[in-house]
Amino acid sequence: MDNDSSFDIIIVGAGLSGINAAYRLQQQLPHHRFTILEARDVMGGTWAYWKYPGIRSDSAMGVFGFPWHPWPYDTNMAAAEDIHRYLEDAATSQGIDKKIRFGHRCKAASWSSEEQRWTLSVDVAGADGDVSTKEFKAWWLISAGGYYSYEKPMPAVIPGIENFKGEVVHPQFWDNSKHDYAGKKMVIIGSGATAVTLLPALAKTAKSVTMLQRSPSYVFSLPARDRIVPIARMLLPLSWATWLVWWKTMFTETLFVAFVKNFPTAARKMVMGAMKAQLPKGFDLDKHFNPSYPVFDQRLCLCPDGDFFKALRQGNCDVVTDTIETVTERGILLKSGQELQADMIITATGLFVLVLAGIPILVDGERIDQKINQRYLWNGTLLEGVPNSGAITGYTAGTWTPGADARTQTVIKVIKHMEKTGATAGMPYLNKEERERLPKKPALKNSSTYLVNARERLPITADVGPWRNGTSWVIDMFYLLFGSAKSGMKYTVPVKAKRV
């Protein structure tokens, strides 16, 4: 195997998680060779992929950005194009861009205990458009490809959708060059973060926008700009200002999440009161914004400066809570008998969630990914029975990046332990008795339909010891600093390499 295709560590995915993982490897494991395989021809992951109107972050950029690369603006929830530029700048500033191999789509990964290495089958796109298959070897494999499929959304049964004579588009496949909504009647099917983002953006030029939901969601407003940022940067050196803003934002978020989870009744009352204060006078709060679940049982929808509520007050927007009887040629007929006229229907019905980027994973010839819902997750990162491999994901009830960073550093902690002991392989391990004793819980307890539907494709947790999937940066850092790299792990140490 030539030096160009054999590495110590391979990262799959050049999005936010992959770029951050590359930085941590450079800083903490500089003696290891690594590369990043990116299927597309551009870095940025989600922020280079989604194109629908209004696409933005729904987390404060003070912690959504990297702690090692200051977010250059005072915007709290930033537009996708700004985040994409930021990621490119972050990667370039650290030379990470030179580590990325674009047009390299990993098709399968196979671990050999005999070789103590991974073999990756990779489709490589040539300059002429031709695709060839190449093998890569790696000691460690880090999957940073996110948690949803780029190829397909969550399947949604919409009766009669084939009857509609207008345009039907899923936000995941929005193309600004093809979809013109100016002056048109729009219906968005869905009530999650995508729908809440779309409505105010479409309302600027559409004739009308209706958000059709089966059940309500919580929508919470945050300031569009962080007023502390310009003050901190004016008074302090940039590194100090970045540190201050990061800790201030993380402290605020941690307290808010803890409050919501520990005092659900008070949290519900607070969020409901905030929504009522911003809705148009006479708007039916109990019907349209009164979810049946506690806050954070599903992801809280955030909007900058209440843009969602402002759109509802401007006259051309509405929210309808009902179920679909059938789609007609001109719109949607509801169970109540009401018919919504539409020129375009946007199906914001959810993502097709998966882990390990949907790549077939084999360990000594056995397919692992097909029975992933029978395997436990170790500290939110490593999968039971899979050697030298980590999956990098973030939080669903908090900002993504701190969680992704904690998981990356968990992988690095395991690698450092292996170096110290001379181990060539390490994997989470449970004997039969331990497995029978542990409870079986979903890795993601969020009750959103698209995540519930994905549980058969996700690992399980026990919320005991290392068999957990953290939801708090504070708790994850505690385990990272004080937890053992040996608990729940099985290491392969060659006899000649064993150390006391």
Side-chain angles (χ1 to χ4, degrees):
M1 184 65 64
D2 62 64
N3 196 48
D4 188 53
S5 56
S6 182
F7 296 88
D8 298 323
I9 303 166
I10 288 180
I11 301 169
V12 177
L16 185 149
S17 301
I19 292 169
N20 184 69
Y23 173 82
R24 293 300 183 193
L25 291 179
Q26 286 188 167
Q27 294 298 307
Q28 298 185 44
L29 298 171
H31 50 291
H32 283 298
R33 290 184 70 241
F34 75 89
T35 192
I36 306 173
L37 303 182
E38 170 55 50
R40 303 173 69 220
D41 59 0
V42 62
M43 73 175 79
T46 291
W47 307 106
Y49 175 72
W50 292 83
K51 304 294 184 184
Y52 67 81
I55 172 66
R56 55 166 173 76
S57 71
D58 62 351
S59 301
M61 293 304 302
V63 288
F64 190 80
F66 304 125
W68 47 270
H69 190 78
W71 173 248
Y73 314 110
D74 61 358
T75 46
N76 247 342
M77 286 174 276
E81 56 266 29
D82 290 335
I83 299 174
H84 184 208
R85 280 195 297 269
Y86 165 78
L87 293 177
E88 289 184 322
D89 183 61
T92 302
S93 71
Q94 301 295 325
I96 294 169
D97 57 321
K98 297 179 176 62
K99 302 283 189 178
I100 304 172
R101 293 165 182 253
F102 295 107
H104 283 59
R105 181 180 297 276
C106 185
K107 301 297 289 184
S110 178
W111 169 264
S112 167
S113 294
E114 182 179 351
E115 291 185 48
Q116 296 286 278
R117 291 179 77 76
W118 287 96
T119 299
L120 277 61
S121 177
V122 179
D123 282 352
V124 180
D128 56 1
D130 289 342
V131 176
S132 59
T133 300
K134 184 176 180 179
E135 274 194 357
F136 284 78
K137 296 280 187 177
W139 179 49
W140 261 83
L141 174 63
I142 298 177
S143 174
Y147 70 106
Y148 69 90
S149 169
Y150 281 9
E151 282 71 41
K152 60 180 178 180
M154 183 188 78
V157 178
I158 302 174
I161 193 70
E162 68 280 358
N163 299 325
F164 188 58
K165 299 298 184 183
E167 290 184 88
V168 178
V169 59
H170 192 284
Q172 187 165 335
F173 307 117
W174 187 281
D175 185 337
N176 286 314
S177 66
K178 296 179 180 178
H179 304 302
D180 179 16
Y181 56 89
K184 293 183 178 180
K185 292 176 285 187
M186 314 287 291
V187 174
I188 307 167
I189 300 176
S191 60
T194 302
V196 168
T197 302
L198 272 165
L199 184 138
L202 297 174
K204 293 176 182 178
T205 57
K207 182 177 181 179
S208 65
V209 185
T210 300
M211 188 173 86
L212 172 61
Q213 58 182 16
R214 266 185 319 187
S215 57
S217 297
Y218 295 103
V219 183
F220 195 68
S221 177
L222 285 181
R225 298 186 178 278
D226 189 334
R227 296 179 182 178
I228 298 295
V229 172
I231 297 173
R233 289 180 177 172
M234 181 174 62
L235 299 177
L236 299 170
L238 182 60
S239 60
W240 292 14
T242 301
W243 179 88
L244 175 65
V245 170
W246 193 93
W247 278 103
K248 182 270 298 182
T249 310
M250 177 53 68
F251 179 75
T252 303
E253 179 176 296
T254 300
L255 280 184
F256 179 71
V257 173
F259 166 71
V260 168
K261 288 187 171 293
N262 289 286
F263 304 98
T265 302
R268 178 183 172 86
K269 184 177 180 180
M270 180 192 74
V271 176
M272 292 284 289
M275 290 193 293
K276 183 177 181 180
Q278 296 178 86
L279 286 167
K281 187 177 181 180
F283 203 93
D284 195 337
L285 176 75
D286 288 337
K287 182 176 182 180
H288 302 303
F289 291 96
N290 188 13
S292 59
Y293 55 86
V295 182
F296 277 147
D297 248 32
Q298 297 183 18
R299 189 166 179 86
L300 177 63
C301 299
L302 300 175
C303 61
D305 281 346
D307 65 349
F308 176 79
F309 300 104
K310 290 176 183 177
L312 290 179
R313 294 199 299 268
Q314 72 185 35
N316 68 333
C317 295
D318 195 15
V319 175
V320 174
T321 305
D322 208 331
T323 53
I324 297 173
E325 178 69 31
T326 188
V327 177
T328 66
E329 291 185 358
R330 298 176 299 171
I332 301 175
L333 178 65
L334 305 175
K335 294 283 188 182
S336 63
Q338 180 183 2
E339 186 168 3
L340 303 176
Q341 298 294 312
D343 300 309
M344 183 184 292
I345 294 174
I346 302 178
T347 55
T349 49
L351 306 170
F352 187 81
V353 173
L354 39 73
V355 292
L356 305 173
I359 301 168
I361 304 293
L362 292 88
V363 174
D364 294 327
E366 179 188 358
R367 278 288 293 268
I368 299 299
D369 54 297
Q370 292 179 334
K371 298 180 180 179
I372 196 170
N373 62 341
Q374 299 174 25
R375 294 178 181 266
Y376 282 93
L377 195 61
W378 186 89
N379 283 321
T381 309
L382 277 63
L383 189 64
E384 177 198 358
V386 182
N388 295 18
S389 177
I392 308 302
T393 57
Y395 301 131
T396 57
T399 302
W400 177 273
T401 314
D405 192 42
R407 278 108 167 96
T408 297
Q409 298 205 54
T410 297
V411 169
I412 291 173
K413 181 176 181 176
V414 172
I415 294 175
K416 286 183 174 180
H417 176 78
M418 292 172 65
E419 291 180 327
K420 181 179 178 181
T421 59
T424 54
M427 68 179 182
Y429 174 78
L430 283 166
N431 60 40
K432 184 177 180 182
E433 292 74 21
E434 289 175 309
R435 281 187 60 85
E436 291 176 350
R437 187 174 67 250
L438 288 176
K440 295 176 173 59
K441 301 180 180 181
L444 294 177
K445 298 175 182 63
N446 189 298
S447 63
S448 296
T449 301
Y450 74 99
L451 290 174
V452 172
N453 289 349
R455 285 179 180 172
E456 65 180 13
R457 299 185 297 277
L458 299 175
I460 54 177
T461 62
D463 291 341
V464 175
W467 311 107
R468 49 183 289 281
N469 187 31
T471 59
S472 164
W473 179 81
V474 172
I475 295 174
D476 277 347
M477 290 307 294
F478 176 85
Y479 276 92
L480 180 65
L481 293 173
F482 302 108
S484 171
K486 296 185 288 185
S487 177
M489 291 289 292
K490 182 178 182 180
Y491 292 98
T492 300
V493 182
V495 175
K496 64 180 180 180
K498 286 187 178 179
R499 302 172 188 175
V500 177

